[in-house]
Amino acid sequence: MRRIYMDANATTPLLPEVVDAMRPWLLENFGNASSIHQHGQRARAAVEHARESVARLVNCRESEIVFTSGGTESDNMALFGLVKPGDHVITSSIEHHAVLHAAERLRDRGIEVTFLPVAREGAVDLDDVRRALRPNTQLISVMMANNETGVIQPVEEIGRIAHEADVWFHTDAVQAAGKINIDVQAIGCDLLSVSGHKMHAPQGTGVLYVRRGIRIEPLFFGGAHERQRRAGTENVAGIVGLGRAAELAYGALRNGSMDRVAAMRDLLERGILERVEECSVNGAGAARVPNTTNLQFENLEGEALVIALDLKGLAVSGGSACMSGATEPSHVLTAMGLVTNRARGSLRFSLTKLNTEEEIDTALELVPAAVSRLRELAPVNVGTLG
Ligand code: PLP
């Protein structure tokens, strides 16, 4: 069976060009980028070349790029690196757990945290941001694009509010990188997180942009790597892969590849809405990244649909997460006001430029068939799931 992958927001496959760039650094070329001999100098040059490529993707200086182990580390560094007990932080209720759980830890350490609500369409309201500001607010952290719905948050406006209030602004751009243009100058953010594996680079690679002049407290202590901001020998092969992926993402945003992804997503979304009754799009009215659609199927257990589609060779993900052994509805969808059974009946399809129109056609056969079979077999009682 040929498998179809539509779960890019979970992780993306490495592009062949990325593997080619990394290969020498996994085989014949090795070196510690801090060593002064030739092995070290070559590794250093490769790391700095990757830094240039990433800086170009987000429009910043090379010195403002800190390589990390991924989105989670970048988010944690941003949240823990600038605040102290007694400070106030504003974030949103739809952040990834890398921000949400870090913010909860801040609270345990004596930092006040406000979790902003979102409107039905899944975006933060700017008036809520303004109203949440306090004299002791130090940091606002609101994501650029949501991982479950793809809804783009008004980050440029939030950047302006933060600037006027003299508050730092961090944005988690993990689900935006490679999908939409990122310009840290236009956003006006002080910190921005990127993860390699959401843009065809290896898992375990990432970046935190830190605006020049900001002194951020590191998470790790050790050597003076990354201008004393992130101790630890650089993952040269991973960083080279991330740099190459950033170059390809930069190109894809300019050569029409992402427009093609948007067209496939729209075809898939429209096709399912036409073929399946009692189905709607979560976040339909909001601006969304081009690759994501989150669909709500009434009277259906989403997890059962994920499994049924997987058995047919189509990989997607559901609107619930397994927490402590129980299936919990997604915190993002519930924050958007969906009742439990509607959140549980939601599925995320997320594409890359590697998907094809034939795969969309196949999905348009598989999804309606699986939905009607499941609805016949085990109709979900709306009344009991609440
Ligand atoms: N932030 C967002 C919005 C994400 O979607 C993810 C991963 O799903 C992360 C952060 C964490 O990134 P990583 O998997 O690189 O730790």
Side-chain angles (χ1 to χ4, degrees), residues 253-269:
L253 288 166
R254 282 157 186 81
N255 68 13
S257 294
M258 289 320 290
D259 298 333
R260 204 179 60 82
V261 171
M264 284 194 293
R265 188 273 310 270
D266 292 345
L267 203 64
L268 177 70
E269 187 174 284

Side-chain angles (χ1 to χ4, degrees), residues 9-10 70-72 75 96 98 143 145 147 172 174-175 195 197-198 205:
N9 291 7
T72 300
D75 286 344
H96 187 270
M143 67 198 327
N147 41 304
D172 173 342
V174 165
Q175 294 291 348
S195 171
H197 75 107
K198 312 290 184 178
T205 62

Side-chain angles (χ1 to χ4, degrees), residues 160-233:
R160 272 198 291 279
I161 294 172
H163 186 72
E164 280 162 20
D166 202 14
V167 165
W168 283 305
F169 177 36
H170 164 247
T171 186
D172 173 342
V174 165
Q175 294 291 348
K179 295 171 186 161
I180 53 174
N181 198 38
I182 298 179
D183 180 341
V184 294
Q185 314 306 333
I187 298 169
C189 57
D190 302 293
L191 306 153
L192 179 139
S193 306
V194 170
S195 171
H197 75 107
K198 312 290 184 178
M199 47 179 269
H200 303 288
Q203 296 172 343
T205 62
V207 159
L208 182 66
Y209 154 78
V210 182
R211 186 178 290 281
R212 188 158 73 167
I214 294 181
R215 280 187 62 81
I216 189 159
E217 176 78 0
L219 286 178
F220 308 147
F221 297 90
H225 309 89
E226 299 296 297
R227 294 170 178 250
Q228 321 233 1
R229 292 168 297 190
R230 202 277 185 180
T233 302

